[in-house]
Amino acid sequence: MRPEKLAAHVLGQVGHALAPEAFRGRRFSVEHLVHVHAQLARNRTVSARNQTAITEQLRSLAEIVVHGDVHDPLVFEAFLEHSMLDTLMSFMRAPRTSAGHAVVVQALQSLSIVTQNVRTQSSIYFLLSNSSIDSLCRQSAHFEQDEELLCNYITLLKALALNLTNTTIQFFLADESAFPLYTEAVRFSTASDPMVVSAVRTIALSVYRLTDERARRLVLAISPRAYWRRLASEHEQHASALCASLVGAYTASAGIDGRPPSAATAMLRSARRSLEDLLDGLYYVNDVMTACVGAPLAGPAHAPAVAPADTESYASALTRVLLQQWLLPRVLAPLARARAPAAAPHDGRALAAMLLVLVHALIVVESRVFSSTLALLLLAPSVSRAARSAPIVAELGARPPTLLIPAELAGEVGNARRAALLALVSRGDEPTGFGAVVLLCALIRAAGGEDAGQAPYGETVRDGGDGTGAGDARVPAEREGEAGVRAPAGPLPPLAGTRAADGAGVAGASVSAPLLKLVGLMPYAHASAHSPSAAASPPGAPRDGEPPAGATAHGAAA
């Protein structure tokens, strides 16, 4: 190197080393922030020589902005005035050399630190309203080929999503037909990195908890055909792996397939992992279905906060996807074809494993839409007839479009799944019989309420005062006192081997009138204000779900 160039280089390095000394004691000052930004502006071209300096300057800039947001409002004003966000964004497009890679990572981390730690409301609004944020959400293609970059990019999107409210959502919906923060994030829902998958789920739940009408419409237009289908496919894979592992453990321990009994231990470990994965997915499904329950939709400031009639709930839409993509073809259809006793021992184990999957789904997913739909598909003597029965629709709280009857089952005569389930209880081998009984208990728990004397789903119980539940049966609270609505005559039929607790409103613990009517153990004795057929039927004529006159409870169940 020539002497004059060497001298200039040494002076430059000395100047860079001494620059922080000028701000000793004022590290978080506005002046220091402006100085750091000026250094970054002079080093727009990234190379191996200036990589370390740029990385440190990016980190220092984030620290000053976060500190200043709490202690000095002038700092964030300088951040906005000098367009420092655009400077940060420019380093995210650094060339993909080894030096450029480190700078891109630090730029993503610095912006994540700022987004996560800024607390002042005005600062958050100014930050999110920048058009660069919307363009950043659309740049996932620049980071998906590198796992480290992708992890930092998804972390940044997660930091943005955690600031989502019904007010800040406007900054992410500049285009009324697109929601890039959500659509770009869910593209990586099947990434190999568990941290990325976890961050994607956090982003999605942050979106689902919003009550903004525009956001919900976009989510319902996007999710069923993309993200939720992949979610249903994952559940199918975990459930299939669980069934295969349990059957493999049985055949290995019994010596059926020629493998040594020690192989059963490995298969059981695999089954445990598959069950953990399945439960993890089911808990996430429950979070999605209950994310926005009970909250009214919120439109723009000038619009009324009222849900439009054609807006479907997340629980209803996701239940439909899970039925179509997983439960109907892979669980319920094989159950309908089941025979008791099983033709081969391992067939019985596979069927018991499927029953186990259904039990876990009913226990974990607390959505009433999900449990009521499964109860209808598994227990109703006639699915098509029960779906047309207004008392079932009203008393299970499943008004259209919440009541989900797949098109292929709309004209079904009888219910093969119900017949198979009852046959397994009475004639199945030990695993399938026990599994069928547990499934019935789970259905009763899910569709019938929780504790003795506690009316499920907002219903009221009027007790006759003798502790037997001989007073009026349950009537939905919102319909109580409504003209034409009266309770069934007489008490609920008790279950064998059960006793009502002292003061309990209903005999039979958690069994409710709607469920007993659904399975055919109790006739409908009141007219529904929602049922035109009930008003038009002559006295004594049987209604939907009601056995003919003279039929016994056992005959109705049969």
Side-chain angles (χ1 to χ4, degrees):
M1 182 180 294
R2 298 179 62 179
E4 57 271 18
K5 288 189 176 182
L6 178 61
H9 173 69
V10 170
L11 288 175
Q13 293 296 320
V14 171
H16 170 73
L18 294 178
E21 295 293 335
F23 300 100
R24 185 175 296 277
R26 295 184 295 136
R27 178 185 174 192
F28 298 108
S29 64
V30 175
E31 293 80 6
H32 192 196
L33 176 66
V34 173
H35 169 76
V36 171
H37 180 254
Q39 293 287 333
L40 287 171
R42 286 195 293 267
N43 288 294
R44 291 296 181 95
T45 303
V46 179
S47 64
R49 178 177 298 178
N50 61 8
Q51 168 209 332
T52 303
I54 293 175
T55 301
E56 292 301 321
Q57 289 158 4
L58 289 171
R59 184 181 295 111
S60 179
L61 186 145
E63 292 175 352
I64 297 172
V65 171
V66 170
H67 182 273
D69 179 66
V70 178
H71 299 92
D72 187 357
L74 294 178
V75 169
F76 203 85
E77 290 182 13
F79 179 81
L80 297 174
E81 180 183 351
H82 292 270
S83 301
M84 297 184 188
L85 179 61
D86 294 334
T87 302
L88 276 174
M89 297 281 293
S90 68
F91 283 103
M92 295 181 191
R93 296 184 289 271
R96 298 306 164 82
T97 60
S98 58
H101 180 276
V103 170
V104 173
V105 169
Q106 185 57 54
L108 288 168
Q109 291 178 352
S110 295
L111 187 52
S112 295
I113 291 171
V114 172
T115 307
Q116 288 174 355
N117 294 280
V118 167
R119 292 290 178 264
T120 306
Q121 198 73 11
S122 58
S123 300
I124 294 174
Y125 285 178
F126 280 124
L127 184 65
L128 299 182
S129 62
N130 193 296
S131 59
S132 299
I133 294 295
D134 184 70
S135 63
L136 172 65
C137 294
R138 302 173 186 268
Q139 295 180 10
S140 61
H142 296 286
F143 309 108
E144 60 185 354
Q145 301 300 326
D146 187 292
E147 288 190 4
E148 185 179 8
L149 291 180
L150 176 60
C151 186
N152 283 279
Y153 172 72
I154 292 296
T155 302
L156 174 56
L157 295 188
K158 176 183 172 182
L160 292 171
L162 292 177
N163 284 301
L164 276 176
T165 65
N166 289 325
T167 303
T168 59
I169 185 63
Q170 60 183 310
F171 303 130
F172 298 91
L173 297 178
D175 182 356
E176 292 290 332
S177 61
F179 194 173
L181 173 64
Y182 176 74
T183 54
E184 293 299 310
V186 298
R187 288 182 57 228
F188 305 104
S189 59
T190 57
S192 58
D193 190 340
M195 291 182 60
V196 173
V197 175
S198 177
V200 168
R201 291 185 174 185
T202 301
I203 294 169
L205 288 175
S206 298
V207 172
Y208 299 150
R209 291 190 179 101
L210 298 175
T211 58
D212 184 83
E213 176 187 334
R214 297 168 301 166
R216 177 173 291 196
R217 287 185 181 277
L218 285 172
V219 168
L220 288 175
I222 297 166
S223 299
R225 68 172 182 267
Y227 178 39
W228 290 350
R229 285 190 178 183
R230 293 197 297 271
L231 194 63
S233 178
E234 290 177 12
H235 283 75
E236 178 191 347
Q237 294 171 8
H238 296 323
S240 298
L242 173 63
C243 294
S245 297
L246 290 175
V247 172
Y250 168 75
T251 55
S253 61
I256 296 176
D257 55 1
R259 289 183 297 173
S262 58
T265 304
M267 299 302 293
L268 287 176
R269 283 198 297 266
S270 176
R272 187 177 295 110
R273 288 192 298 270
S274 298
L275 180 59
E276 290 174 354
D277 292 337
L278 178 64
L279 289 175
D280 182 61
L282 288 174
Y283 277 112
Y284 177 64
V285 166
N286 181 64
D287 290 340
V288 174
M289 290 190 179
T290 58
C292 198
V293 172
L297 292 182
H302 59 275
V306 178
D310 59 343
T311 300
E312 188 176 26
S313 70
Y314 292 146
S316 178
L318 182 51
T319 298
R320 180 177 289 107
V321 173
L322 291 175
L323 282 173
Q324 293 174 346
Q325 302 293 321
W326 171 40
L327 290 173
L328 273 177
R330 300 299 182 187
V331 181
L332 298 181
L335 175 61
R337 297 190 297 266
R339 295 293 179 266
H346 60 273
D347 292 338
R349 265 59 181 184
L351 185 57
M354 285 192 295
L355 296 174
L356 175 68
V357 169
L358 280 175
V359 168
H360 280 98
L362 284 165
I363 291 176
V364 172
V365 181
E366 299 174 353
S367 167
R368 186 176 167 198
V369 175
F370 183 81
S371 58
S372 296
T373 303
L374 276 183
L376 180 67
L377 294 176
L378 286 169
L379 298 181
S382 170
V383 172
S384 58
R385 189 179 181 189
R388 296 193 303 270
S389 177
I392 286 181
V393 173
E395 292 190 31
L396 285 180
R399 297 177 178 86
T402 303
L403 195 64
L404 306 174
I405 306 302
E408 59 268 28
L409 301 181
E412 184 182 49
V413 178
N415 189 342
R417 295 165 299 281
R418 182 180 191 268
L421 192 59
L422 294 178
L424 291 175
V425 172
S426 58
R427 301 189 301 275
D429 57 14
E430 183 175 332
T432 55
F434 183 72
V437 170
V438 173
L439 176 58
L440 286 173
C441 293
L443 286 167
I444 291 172
R445 174 187 179 274
E450 290 76 26
D451 301 323
Q454 178 183 353
Y457 313 132
E459 298 176 346
T460 59
V461 177
R462 296 188 295 275
D463 193 284
D466 57 358
T468 63
D472 294 336
R474 300 165 187 242
V475 177
E478 68 273 12
R479 297 177 56 209
E480 197 170 8
E482 183 178 323
V485 177
R486 61 184 185 275
L492 298 181
L495 295 182
T498 62
R499 290 182 57 190
D502 291 339
V506 176
S510 61
V511 182
S512 69
L515 182 63
L516 292 172
K517 294 172 184 177
L518 179 64
V519 300
L521 291 176
M522 181 179 178
Y524 291 98
H526 71 272
S528 171
H530 302 282
S531 175
S533 61
S537 299
R543 303 184 183 95
D544 281 343
E546 178 179 351
T552 64
H554 293 290

